[in-house]
Amino acid sequence: LEFRRVLFRSFNNQAKLGDRVVATWSRILDAVPDSRLILRSSGHFDDPATRDRLGGKFAAQGIDAARLDFQDSHACKSA
């Protein structure tokens, strides 16, 4: 069998990604080695400060930033 990485996706308003949600996603990522999380939010993740702030919340939970992919849904629609 060929190994395939598990990829989780959250398409949500970044304002809903509070500490409890980040902690929950972090536990999920921790439980599934080599998994990644795509976070998509409309009009927010094009801002580096927003990505850094949210990435810092995951880092505080022990999740490496390389496992996160921030996407701005405005950019996805225009592509």
Side-chain angles (χ1 to χ4, degrees):
L1 289 175
E2 181 180 337
F3 173 76
R4 296 186 187 255
R5 178 176 287 159
V6 174
L7 182 63
F8 296 103
R9 296 174 188 230
S10 174
F11 304 113
N12 217 329
N13 184 320
Q14 65 87 26
K16 294 181 180 181
L17 297 171
D19 293 339
R20 288 177 49 189
V21 173
V22 169
T24 300
W25 274 119
S26 296
R27 284 192 303 274
I28 293 167
L29 290 169
D30 192 48
V32 184
D34 298 318
S35 61
R36 294 178 48 85
L37 175 61
I38 293 175
L39 295 159
R40 184 180 291 178
S41 183
S42 180
H44 298 284
F45 291 144
D46 56 348
D47 176 33
T50 300
R51 291 190 306 266
D52 289 346
R53 180 185 54 76
L54 193 53
K57 288 184 176 191
F58 278 94
Q61 298 287 327
I63 302 301
D64 190 310
R67 297 180 69 188
L68 305 172
D69 183 11
F70 296 102
Q71 297 178 352
D72 184 84
S73 61
H74 286 302
C76 295
K77 289 179 185 175
S78 63

